[in-house]
Amino acid sequence: MKEKVLVSSCLQGIECRYNASAYHNDKVDEYVKDKDVILVCPEVLGGLQVPRNPCEIKVGKVISVSGEDVSEAFQKGAEIVFKIAQENNIKKAILKSRSPSCGSNWIYDGTFSGKLVKGDGICSSLLKKHGIEVISEEDL
Ligand code: SF4
């Protein structure tokens, strides 16, 4: 049976980023070619629109560039992704680097200035807390 992995939808060409764009990443394509892939976009699953304002994490809250607190939608999306992971016995997730949902180890610092700080996105953090390995596409 093929290994099941969660993958950020935007890393597989789904245009679900805040600016309605997507990524194409050869390393991710290579990694998933012999796996059963479950695509997830926690922000869309949490009810946010495409396109939407970019958001960053600041002092434990997720704030949009216009100053709106969108923490609830991010939390809801993360919980839905975790439920999908549980239902599919997922052990590993390949998630987009630096995103306030999907980022792992490094995220933007909340000032919308491109600066990075140590930390995980809301979804990555929840998955890691439950023992799921989160790998960014940059670390493949
Ligand atoms: S929430 Fe994750 S999957 Fe969705 S656009 Fe952002 S980085 Fe990609």
Side-chain angles (χ1 to χ4, degrees):
M1 206 167 71
K2 285 185 185 174
E3 181 190 356
K4 280 187 185 177
V5 288
L6 286 186
V7 178
S8 291
S9 300
C10 64
L11 287 174
Q12 287 281 275
I14 308 288
E15 294 171 340
C16 53
R17 294 184 66 219
Y18 72 93
N19 58 1
S21 70
Y23 296 99
H24 297 273
N25 184 298
D26 292 343
K27 279 194 202 161
V28 177
D29 292 349
E30 178 64 25
Y31 182 82
V32 302
K33 72 178 185 200
D34 58 349
K35 304 195 173 51
D36 221 343
V37 174
I38 299 173
L39 294 179
V40 288
C41 176
E43 292 172 29
V44 169
L45 288 167
L48 296 171
Q49 305 291 314
V50 180
R52 55 189 174 277
N53 279 328
C55 300
E56 295 189 2
I57 297 176
K58 192 167 193 178
V59 210
K61 287 185 177 171
V62 191
I63 308 293
S64 78
V65 72
S66 63
E68 189 189 355
D69 184 345
V70 286
S71 306
E72 211 173 292
F74 273 66
Q75 187 60 35
K76 183 179 168 199
E79 283 166 14
I80 293 170
V81 171
F82 176 54
K83 192 161 178 269
I84 293 169
Q86 277 186 310
E87 286 167 357
N88 288 280
N89 198 24
I90 294 289
K91 304 273 185 274
K92 202 179 277 183
I94 311 301
L95 301 185
K96 177 71 189 79
S97 57
R98 300 186 291 275
S99 149
S101 288
C102 294
S104 56
N105 302 330
W106 292 98
I107 51 170
Y108 290 114
D109 73 349
T111 61
F112 297 93
S113 60
K115 282 190 206 131
L116 295 170
V117 285
K118 277 266 178 204
D120 292 318
I122 304 294
C123 183
S124 292
S125 171
L126 183 64
L127 296 181
K128 285 182 179 183
K129 230 178 265 172
H130 288 89
I132 295 169
E133 185 182 2
V134 177
I135 304 169
S136 111
E137 82 287 4
E138 293 181 342
D139 292 328
L140 282 177

Coordinates of all heavy atoms in Angstrom, one line a residue, residues 36-113:
D36 N 0.5 8.4 -1.9 CA -0.9 8.7 -1.9 C -1.1 10.1 -1.3 O -0.8 10.3 -0.1 CB -1.7 7.7 -1.0 CG -3.0 7.3 -1.6 OD1 -3.4 8.0 -2.6 OD2 -3.6 6.3 -1.2
V37 N -1.4 11.1 -2.1 CA -1.3 12.5 -1.7 C -2.7 13.0 -1.3 O -3.7 12.9 -2.0 CB -0.8 13.4 -2.8 CG1 -0.8 14.9 -2.4 CG2 0.7 13.0 -3.1
I38 N -2.8 13.6 -0.1 CA -4.0 14.3 0.3 C -3.7 15.8 0.3 O -2.9 16.2 1.1 CB -4.5 13.8 1.6 CG1 -4.8 12.3 1.5 CG2 -5.8 14.6 2.1 CD1 -5.2 11.7 2.9
L39 N -4.3 16.6 -0.6 CA -4.0 18.0 -0.6 C -4.9 18.7 0.4 O -6.1 18.5 0.5 CB -4.3 18.5 -2.0 CG -3.4 18.0 -3.2 CD1 -3.9 18.6 -4.5 CD2 -2.0 18.3 -2.9
V40 N -4.3 19.7 1.1 CA -5.0 20.5 2.1 C -4.6 21.9 2.0 O -3.4 22.2 1.9 CB -4.9 19.9 3.5 CG1 -5.6 18.6 3.8 CG2 -3.4 19.8 3.9
C41 N -5.5 22.8 2.1 CA -5.2 24.2 2.3 C -5.9 24.7 3.6 O -7.1 24.9 3.6 CB -5.7 25.1 1.2 SG -5.4 26.8 1.5
P42 N -5.2 24.7 4.7 CA -5.9 25.1 6.0 C -6.6 26.4 6.0 O -7.7 26.5 6.6 CB -4.8 25.1 7.0 CG -3.5 24.8 6.3 CD -3.8 24.4 4.9
E43 N -6.1 27.4 5.2 CA -6.8 28.7 5.3 C -8.1 28.6 4.5 O -9.1 29.2 5.0 CB -5.9 29.7 4.7 CG -4.7 30.0 5.6 CD -3.6 30.9 5.1 OE1 -3.8 31.8 4.3 OE2 -2.4 30.7 5.5
V44 N -8.2 27.9 3.4 CA -9.4 27.8 2.7 C -10.4 26.9 3.5 O -11.6 27.2 3.6 CB -9.2 27.2 1.3 CG1 -10.5 26.8 0.6 CG2 -8.5 28.3 0.4
L45 N -9.8 25.8 4.1 CA -10.7 24.9 4.9 C -11.3 25.7 6.1 O -12.3 25.4 6.6 CB -9.9 23.7 5.4 CG -9.6 22.7 4.3 CD1 -8.6 21.7 4.8 CD2 -10.9 22.0 3.8
G46 N -10.5 26.7 6.6 CA -11.0 27.5 7.7 C -12.0 28.5 7.3 O -12.5 29.3 8.2
G47 N -12.3 28.6 6.0 CA -13.4 29.5 5.6 C -12.9 30.8 4.9 O -13.7 31.7 4.6
L48 N -11.6 31.0 4.7 CA -11.1 32.2 4.1 C -11.2 32.2 2.6 O -11.2 31.1 2.0 CB -9.6 32.4 4.6 CG -9.4 32.7 6.1 CD1 -7.9 32.7 6.4 CD2 -10.1 34.0 6.5
Q49 N -11.3 33.3 2.0 CA -11.5 33.5 0.6 C -10.2 33.5 -0.2 O -9.2 33.7 0.4 CB -12.2 34.8 0.3 CG -13.5 35.0 1.1 CD -14.6 34.1 0.6 OE1 -14.8 33.9 -0.6 NE2 -15.3 33.5 1.5
V50 N -10.3 33.2 -1.5 CA -9.2 33.4 -2.4 C -9.7 34.4 -3.4 O -10.7 34.1 -4.1 CB -8.8 32.0 -3.1 CG1 -7.7 32.3 -4.1 CG2 -8.5 30.9 -2.1
P51 N -9.0 35.5 -3.6 CA -7.8 36.0 -2.9 C -8.2 36.5 -1.5 O -9.4 36.7 -1.3 CB -7.3 37.1 -3.8 CG -8.4 37.6 -4.5 CD -9.3 36.4 -4.7
R52 N -7.3 36.7 -0.7 CA -7.5 37.3 0.7 C -6.3 38.1 1.0 O -5.2 38.1 0.4 CB -7.7 36.1 1.7 CG -6.5 35.2 1.7 CD -6.8 33.9 2.5 NE -5.8 32.9 2.5 CZ -5.7 32.0 1.5 NH1 -6.5 32.0 0.5 NH2 -4.7 31.1 1.5
N53 N -6.4 38.9 2.1 CA -5.3 39.7 2.6 C -4.2 38.8 3.1 O -4.5 37.8 3.8 CB -5.7 40.6 3.7 CG -6.4 41.9 3.2 OD1 -6.1 42.4 2.1 ND2 -7.4 42.4 3.9
P54 N -2.9 39.1 2.9 CA -1.9 38.3 3.5 C -2.0 38.4 5.0 O -2.4 39.5 5.5 CB -0.6 38.9 3.0 CG -1.0 40.2 2.4 CD -2.4 40.2 2.0
C55 N -1.6 37.4 5.7 CA -1.6 37.4 7.2 C -0.3 36.9 7.8 O 0.4 36.2 7.1 CB -2.7 36.4 7.7 SG -4.4 36.8 7.0
E56 N 0.0 37.4 9.0 CA 1.2 36.9 9.7 C 0.8 36.7 11.2 O -0.2 37.3 11.7 CB 2.3 37.9 9.6 CG 2.8 38.0 8.1 CD 4.1 38.8 7.9 OE1 4.7 39.3 8.9 OE2 4.5 39.0 6.8
I57 N 1.6 35.9 11.9 CA 1.4 35.7 13.3 C 2.1 36.7 14.1 O 3.3 37.0 13.9 CB 1.9 34.3 13.7 CG1 1.1 33.2 12.9 CG2 1.7 34.0 15.2 CD1 1.5 31.8 13.1
K58 N 1.4 37.3 15.0 CA 2.0 38.3 15.9 C 1.5 38.1 17.3 O 0.3 38.1 17.6 CB 1.7 39.7 15.4 CG 2.5 40.8 16.1 CD 2.4 42.1 15.4 CE 3.4 43.0 16.0 NZ 3.4 44.3 15.3
V59 N 2.4 37.8 18.2 CA 2.1 37.6 19.6 C 0.9 36.6 19.8 O -0.1 36.9 20.5 CB 1.8 38.9 20.4 CG1 2.2 38.7 21.9 CG2 2.5 40.1 19.9
G60 N 1.1 35.5 19.1 CA 0.1 34.4 19.3 C -1.2 34.6 18.5 O -2.1 33.7 18.5
K61 N -1.4 35.7 17.8 CA -2.6 35.9 17.0 C -2.3 36.0 15.6 O -1.1 36.4 15.2 CB -3.3 37.3 17.4 CG -3.9 37.2 18.8 CD -4.7 38.5 19.0 CE -5.4 38.4 20.4 NZ -5.9 39.7 20.8
V62 N -3.2 35.6 14.7 CA -3.0 35.8 13.3 C -3.7 37.1 12.8 O -4.9 37.2 13.0 CB -3.5 34.6 12.5 CG1 -3.0 34.7 11.0 CG2 -3.1 33.3 13.1
I63 N -3.0 38.0 12.3 CA -3.5 39.3 11.9 C -3.3 39.5 10.4 O -2.2 39.2 9.9 CB -2.7 40.4 12.7 CG1 -2.7 40.1 14.2 CG2 -3.3 41.8 12.4 CD1 -4.1 40.2 14.9
S64 N -4.3 40.0 9.7 CA -4.2 40.3 8.3 C -3.4 41.7 8.2 O -3.3 42.4 9.1 CB -5.5 40.4 7.6 OG -6.1 41.6 7.9
V65 N -3.0 41.9 6.9 CA -2.2 43.2 6.7 C -3.1 44.4 7.0 O -2.6 45.5 7.3 CB -1.6 43.1 5.3 CG1 -2.7 43.3 4.2 CG2 -0.5 44.1 5.1
S66 N -4.4 44.2 6.9 CA -5.3 45.3 7.2 C -5.7 45.4 8.7 O -6.5 46.3 9.1 CB -6.6 45.2 6.3 OG -7.3 44.1 6.7
G67 N -5.1 44.5 9.5 CA -5.3 44.6 10.9 C -6.4 43.8 11.5 O -6.7 43.8 12.7
E68 N -7.0 42.9 10.6 CA -8.1 42.1 11.1 C -7.6 40.8 11.8 O -6.6 40.2 11.4 CB -9.0 41.6 9.9 CG -10.2 40.9 10.2 CD -10.9 40.3 9.0 OE1 -10.4 40.5 7.9 OE2 -11.9 39.6 9.2
D69 N -8.2 40.5 13.0 CA -7.8 39.3 13.7 C -8.5 38.1 13.0 O -9.7 37.9 13.2 CB -8.2 39.4 15.2 CG -7.7 38.2 16.0 OD1 -7.3 37.2 15.4 OD2 -7.7 38.3 17.2
V70 N -7.7 37.2 12.4 CA -8.3 36.1 11.7 C -7.9 34.8 12.4 O -7.9 33.7 11.7 CB -7.9 36.1 10.2 CG1 -8.6 37.1 9.4 CG2 -6.4 36.2 10.0
S71 N -7.5 34.9 13.6 CA -7.0 33.7 14.3 C -8.0 32.5 14.3 O -7.6 31.4 14.2 CB -6.7 34.1 15.8 OG -5.9 35.1 15.9
E72 N -9.3 32.9 14.4 CA -10.3 31.8 14.5 C -10.4 31.0 13.3 O -10.4 29.8 13.3 CB -11.7 32.5 14.8 CG -12.6 31.7 15.6 CD -13.9 32.5 15.9 OE1 -13.8 33.4 16.7 OE2 -14.9 32.1 15.4
A73 N -10.3 31.6 12.1 CA -10.4 30.9 10.8 C -9.1 30.0 10.7 O -9.2 28.9 10.2 CB -10.5 31.9 9.7
F74 N -8.0 30.6 11.1 CA -6.7 29.8 11.0 C -6.8 28.6 11.9 O -6.4 27.5 11.6 CB -5.5 30.7 11.4 CG -5.0 31.4 10.2 CD1 -5.7 32.4 9.6 CD2 -3.7 31.1 9.7 CE1 -5.2 33.1 8.5 CE2 -3.2 31.8 8.6 CZ -4.0 32.8 8.0
Q75 N -7.4 28.8 13.1 CA -7.5 27.6 14.1 C -8.4 26.6 13.6 O -8.2 25.4 13.6 CB -7.9 28.2 15.4 CG -7.9 27.2 16.6 CD -6.6 26.6 16.9 OE1 -5.5 27.3 16.7 NE2 -6.5 25.3 17.2
K76 N -9.6 27.1 13.0 CA -10.6 26.1 12.5 C -10.0 25.3 11.3 O -10.1 24.1 11.3 CB -11.8 26.9 12.0 CG -12.9 26.1 11.5 CD -14.1 26.9 11.0 CE -15.1 26.1 10.2 NZ -16.0 26.9 9.4
G77 N -9.3 26.0 10.4 CA -8.6 25.3 9.3 C -7.6 24.2 9.8 O -7.6 23.1 9.3
A78 N -6.8 24.6 10.8 CA -5.8 23.7 11.3 C -6.5 22.5 11.9 O -6.1 21.3 11.7 CB -5.0 24.4 12.4
E79 N -7.6 22.7 12.6 CA -8.3 21.5 13.3 C -8.9 20.6 12.2 O -8.9 19.4 12.4 CB -9.4 22.1 14.2 CG -8.7 22.5 15.5 CD -9.7 23.4 16.4 OE1 -10.9 23.4 16.2 OE2 -9.1 24.0 17.3
I80 N -9.4 21.2 11.1 CA -10.0 20.4 10.0 C -8.9 19.5 9.4 O -9.0 18.3 9.2 CB -10.7 21.2 9.0 CG1 -12.0 21.8 9.6 CG2 -11.1 20.4 7.7 CD1 -12.6 22.9 8.7
V81 N -7.7 20.2 9.2 CA -6.6 19.4 8.6 C -6.2 18.3 9.6 O -5.9 17.2 9.1 CB -5.4 20.4 8.3 CG1 -4.2 19.6 7.9 CG2 -5.8 21.3 7.2
F82 N -6.1 18.6 10.9 CA -5.7 17.6 11.8 C -6.7 16.4 11.8 O -6.3 15.2 11.9 CB -5.6 18.2 13.2 CG -5.3 17.1 14.3 CD1 -4.2 16.3 14.1 CD2 -6.1 17.0 15.4 CE1 -3.9 15.3 15.1 CE2 -5.9 16.0 16.3 CZ -4.8 15.2 16.2
K83 N -8.0 16.7 11.7 CA -9.0 15.6 11.6 C -8.8 14.8 10.4 O -8.8 13.5 10.4 CB -10.4 16.3 11.6 CG -11.5 15.4 11.8 CD -12.8 16.1 12.2 CE -13.9 15.2 12.4 NZ -14.7 15.0 11.2
I84 N -8.5 15.4 9.2 CA -8.2 14.7 8.0 C -7.0 13.8 8.2 O -7.0 12.6 7.8 CB -8.0 15.7 6.8 CG1 -9.3 16.4 6.5 CG2 -7.4 14.9 5.6 CD1 -9.1 17.6 5.5
A85 N -6.0 14.3 8.9 CA -4.8 13.6 9.2 C -5.1 12.3 10.0 O -4.6 11.2 9.7 CB -3.7 14.4 9.8
Q86 N -5.9 12.5 11.0 CA -6.2 11.4 11.9 C -7.0 10.3 11.2 O -6.7 9.2 11.3 CB -7.1 11.9 13.1 CG -6.3 12.5 14.2 CD -7.3 12.9 15.3 OE1 -8.3 13.5 15.1 NE2 -7.0 12.5 16.5
E87 N -8.0 10.8 10.4 CA -8.8 9.8 9.7 C -8.0 9.0 8.7 O -8.4 7.9 8.3 CB -9.9 10.6 8.9 CG -11.0 11.1 9.8 CD -11.9 12.1 9.2 OE1 -11.7 12.5 8.0 OE2 -12.9 12.6 9.9
N88 N -6.9 9.6 8.2 CA -6.1 8.9 7.2 C -4.8 8.3 7.7 O -3.9 7.9 7.0 CB -5.8 9.8 6.0 CG -7.1 10.1 5.2 OD1 -7.4 9.3 4.4 ND2 -7.7 11.2 5.5
N89 N -4.7 8.3 9.1 CA -3.5 7.8 9.7 C -2.2 8.4 9.1 O -1.2 7.7 8.9 CB -3.5 6.3 9.6 CG -2.6 5.6 10.6 OD1 -2.3 6.2 11.6 ND2 -2.1 4.5 10.3
I90 N -2.2 9.7 9.0 CA -1.1 10.4 8.4 C 0.1 10.5 9.4 O -0.2 10.9 10.6 CB -1.5 11.8 7.9 CG1 -2.5 11.7 6.8 CG2 -0.3 12.7 7.6 CD1 -2.0 11.3 5.5
K91 N 1.3 10.3 8.9 CA 2.5 10.4 9.8 C 3.4 11.5 9.3 O 4.3 12.0 10.0 CB 3.3 9.1 9.7 CG 2.5 7.8 10.1 CD 2.6 7.6 11.6 CE 1.9 6.3 12.0 NZ 0.5 6.4 12.2
K92 N 3.1 12.0 8.1 CA 4.0 13.0 7.5 C 3.3 14.0 6.7 O 2.3 13.6 5.9 CB 5.0 12.3 6.6 CG 6.3 13.0 6.4 CD 7.2 12.2 5.5 CE 8.0 11.2 6.3 NZ 9.0 10.4 5.5
A93 N 3.7 15.3 6.7 CA 3.1 16.3 5.9 C 4.2 17.2 5.3 O 5.1 17.5 5.9 CB 2.2 17.2 6.8
I94 N 4.0 17.5 4.0 CA 4.9 18.4 3.3 C 4.1 19.7 3.1 O 3.2 19.8 2.4 CB 5.2 17.8 1.9 CG1 5.7 16.4 1.9 CG2 6.3 18.7 1.2 CD1 6.8 16.1 2.8
L95 N 4.6 20.7 3.9 CA 3.8 21.9 4.0 C 4.7 23.1 3.6 O 5.9 23.1 3.8 CB 3.2 22.1 5.4 CG 2.3 21.1 5.9 CD1 1.7 21.5 7.2 CD2 1.2 20.7 4.9
K96 N 4.0 24.1 3.0 CA 4.7 25.3 2.4 C 5.4 26.1 3.5 O 4.9 26.5 4.5 CB 3.6 26.2 1.8 CG 4.2 27.5 1.2 CD 5.1 27.2 0.0 CE 5.8 28.4 -0.5 NZ 7.0 28.8 0.3
S97 N 6.7 26.3 3.2 CA 7.5 27.1 4.1 C 7.0 28.5 4.4 O 6.4 29.1 3.5 CB 9.0 27.2 3.6 OG 8.9 27.8 2.3
R98 N 7.2 29.0 5.6 CA 7.0 30.4 6.0 C 5.6 30.9 6.1 O 5.3 32.0 6.5 CB 7.8 31.3 5.1 CG 9.3 31.1 5.2 CD 10.1 32.1 4.4 NE 9.9 32.0 3.0 CZ 10.6 31.2 2.2 NH1 11.5 30.4 2.6 NH2 10.3 31.2 0.9
S99 N 4.6 30.0 5.7 CA 3.2 30.4 5.8 C 2.7 30.5 7.2 O 3.2 29.7 8.1 CB 2.4 29.4 5.0 OG 1.1 29.3 5.6
P100 N 1.8 31.4 7.6 CA 1.3 31.5 8.9 C 0.4 30.2 9.3 O 0.1 30.0 10.4 CB 0.5 32.7 8.9 CG 0.2 33.0 7.5 CD 1.3 32.5 6.7
S101 N 0.1 29.5 8.3 CA -0.6 28.2 8.5 C 0.4 27.0 8.4 O 0.5 26.2 9.3 CB -1.7 27.9 7.5 OG -2.8 28.8 7.8
C102 N 1.0 27.0 7.3 CA 1.8 25.8 6.9 C 3.3 25.8 7.2 O 4.0 24.8 7.2 CB 1.6 25.5 5.4 SG -0.1 25.1 4.9
G103 N 3.8 27.0 7.6 CA 5.2 27.1 7.8 C 5.7 26.3 8.9 O 5.0 26.1 9.9
S104 N 7.0 25.8 8.8 CA 7.5 25.0 9.9 C 8.9 25.5 10.2 O 9.7 25.7 9.3 CB 7.5 23.5 9.7 OG 8.2 23.2 8.5
N105 N 9.2 25.7 11.4 CA 10.5 26.2 12.0 C 10.7 27.7 11.8 O 11.3 28.4 12.6 CB 11.7 25.4 11.4 CG 11.5 23.9 11.8 OD1 11.0 23.6 12.8 ND2 12.0 23.1 10.9
W106 N 10.3 28.3 10.6 CA 10.5 29.7 10.4 C 9.2 30.3 9.8 O 8.6 29.7 8.9 CB 11.6 29.9 9.4 CG 13.0 29.6 9.9 CD1 13.6 28.4 9.6 CD2 13.8 30.4 10.7 NE1 14.8 28.4 10.3 CE2 15.0 29.6 11.0 CE3 13.7 31.6 11.3 CZ2 16.0 30.1 11.8 CZ3 14.7 32.1 12.1 CH2 15.9 31.4 12.3
I107 N 8.8 31.4 10.4 CA 7.6 32.1 9.8 C 7.9 33.6 9.8 O 8.9 34.0 10.5 CB 6.3 31.8 10.7 CG1 6.6 32.1 12.2 CG2 5.8 30.4 10.5 CD1 5.4 32.1 13.1
Y108 N 7.1 34.4 9.1 CA 7.3 35.8 9.1 C 6.9 36.4 10.5 O 6.1 35.8 11.3 CB 6.5 36.5 8.0 CG 7.0 36.1 6.7 CD1 6.3 35.4 5.8 CD2 8.3 36.6 6.3 CE1 6.8 35.0 4.5 CE2 8.8 36.2 5.0 CZ 8.1 35.5 4.2 OH 8.6 35.1 3.0
D109 N 7.6 37.5 10.8 CA 7.5 38.0 12.2 C 6.3 38.8 12.6 O 6.3 39.3 13.7 CB 8.8 38.7 12.6 CG 8.9 40.1 11.9 OD1 8.0 40.4 11.0 OD2 9.8 40.9 12.2
G110 N 5.4 39.0 11.7 CA 4.2 39.8 12.1 C 4.3 41.2 11.7 O 3.3 42.0 12.0
T111 N 5.4 41.7 11.1 CA 5.5 43.1 10.7 C 5.3 43.3 9.2 O 5.4 44.4 8.8 CB 6.9 43.6 11.1 OG1 7.9 42.9 10.4 CG2 7.1 43.5 12.6
F112 N 5.1 42.2 8.5 CA 4.9 42.3 7.0 C 6.1 43.0 6.4 O 5.9 43.8 5.4 CB 3.5 43.1 6.7 CG 2.4 42.3 7.2 CD1 1.8 42.6 8.4 CD2 1.8 41.3 6.4 CE1 0.7 41.8 8.9 CE2 0.7 40.5 6.9 CZ 0.2 40.8 8.1
S113 N 7.2 42.7 6.9 CA 8.5 43.3 6.3 C 9.4 42.3 5.8 O 10.5 42.6 5.4 CB 9.2 44.2 7.4 OG 9.5 43.3 8.5

